[in-house]
């Protein structure tokens, strides 16, 4: 393994342990990946406790999400990671979590197809946003166990350049960044904004 790959894995293990402690990866759910300079990706192996990941819990897949290590199975949602890397060339890390706030609000707003945040200073945490005065939109698609169906639902979202993640209803959040730290900042910002919305409604996650 190259030094870059092992540095990325070390960073992902640190972030996922923090996210697990925050209750955002319950019951071995959630998955995480990083894109390497050679176009391959390292992604979490299916079904591991995200609070206790080790280097061997990551595996290499090619740009289309095909396993490059015989006998190992990457996350069931690898196709969604590959889609983000294909349609967002600047994205080099993808974080997917299943927090309570993400789950509850994605169901509540599923019919509208989006949640819009306006007036929050924290909107500036997103790459390219410089004021609280605009609107950050978080799209929502219906959940599906068939990854082809799910990818067809998310594909049209990428026509917009001004979005940094999406929710899957009753399921969780996908977000990304130019590197792992930026993806984590986007995840933390979405989680804060979702919790703010829940709190406004008198429900605390
Ligand atoms: Zn998931």
């Amino acid at each position: 393994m190259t030094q870059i790959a092992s540095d990325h894995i070390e960073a992902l293990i640190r972030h996922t342990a923090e996210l697990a402690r925050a209750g955002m990866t319950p019951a071995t759910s959630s998955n995480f990946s990083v894109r390497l300079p050679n176009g391959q990706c390292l992604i979490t192996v299916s079904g591991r406790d995200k609070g206790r990941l080790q280097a061997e819990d990551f595996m290499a897949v090619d740009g289309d999400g095909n396993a490059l290590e015989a006998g190992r199975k990457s996350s069931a949602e690898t196709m969604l990671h590959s889609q983000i890397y294909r349609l967002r060339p600047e994205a080099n890390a993808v974080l997917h979590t299943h927090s309570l706030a993400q789950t509850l609000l994605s169901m509540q707003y599923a019919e509208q197809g989006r949640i819009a945040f306006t007036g929050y200073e924290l909107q500036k945490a997103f790459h390219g946003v410089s004021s609280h005065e605009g609107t950050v939109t978080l799209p929502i698609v219906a959940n599906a166990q068939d990854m082809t169906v799910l990818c067809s639902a998310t594909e049209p979202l990428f026509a917009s350049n001004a979005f940094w993640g999406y929710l899957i209803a009753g399921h969780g959040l996908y977000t990304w960044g130019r590197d792992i730290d930026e993806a984590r900042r986007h995840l933390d910002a979405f989680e804060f904004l979702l919790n703010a919305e829940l709190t406004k409604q008198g429900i605390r996650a």
Side-chain angles (χ1 to χ4, degrees):
M1 186 181 293
T2 65
Q3 187 61 44
I4 290 177
S6 55
D7 288 351
H8 283 330
I9 286 180
E10 198 180 304
L12 278 178
I13 288 173
R14 180 166 45 81
H15 283 294
T16 52
E18 289 171 9
L19 296 169
R21 273 198 297 278
M24 292 171 70
T25 68
T28 78
S29 68
S30 309
N31 39 74
F32 307 91
S33 70
V34 64
R35 173 154 54 184
L36 299 174
N38 65 5
Q40 295 179 1
C41 297
L42 295 167
I43 187 164
T44 35
V45 172
S46 187
R48 301 290 163 86
D49 180 339
K50 302 306 182 297
R52 303 173 191 180
L53 290 183
Q54 299 182 333
E56 56 266 31
D57 296 325
F58 290 85
M59 61 175 287
V61 296
D62 67 16
D64 295 320
N66 301 305
L68 294 172
E69 299 174 29
R72 306 191 80 198
K73 190 173 174 294
S74 65
S75 161
E77 295 175 32
T78 302
M79 268 178 78
L80 292 170
H81 289 250
S82 302
Q83 182 186 54
I84 293 165
Y85 291 127
R86 181 166 49 85
L87 297 175
R88 278 289 177 271
E90 73 277 17
N92 288 308
V94 174
L95 304 178
H96 168 52
T97 50
H98 287 213
S99 78
L100 192 54
Q102 293 158 14
T103 304
L104 290 173
L105 283 169
S106 62
M107 293 172 99
Q108 190 184 333
Y109 285 84
E111 213 161 296
Q112 288 96 311
R114 62 202 275 273
I115 305 178
F117 304 102
T118 307
Y120 291 102
E121 177 69 10
L122 221 72
Q123 290 166 217
K124 288 161 55 185
F126 295 102
H127 174 67
V129 177
S130 56
S131 169
H132 63 286
E133 290 175 342
T135 298
V136 167
T137 299
L138 181 58
I140 305 169
V141 299
N143 197 15
Q145 298 307 321
D146 182 334
M147 286 303 127
T148 312
V149 171
L150 209 39
C151 281
S152 305
T154 52
E155 181 117 7
L157 303 177
F158 291 88
S160 161
N161 278 319
F163 90 119
W164 297 268
Y166 57 79
L167 286 168
I168 306 174
H171 179 159
L173 172 77
Y174 270 85
T175 189
W176 52 85
R178 289 170 297 166
D179 55 30
I180 297 170
D181 287 341
E182 185 175 84
R184 174 63 190 272
R185 194 179 79 226
H186 289 167
L187 173 56
D188 287 347
F190 276 131
E191 186 64 10
F192 176 90
L193 294 170
L194 290 166
N195 275 298
E197 287 298 311
L198 273 185
T199 305
K200 274 205 299 198
Q201 296 176 12
I203 312 161
R204 182 172 271 286

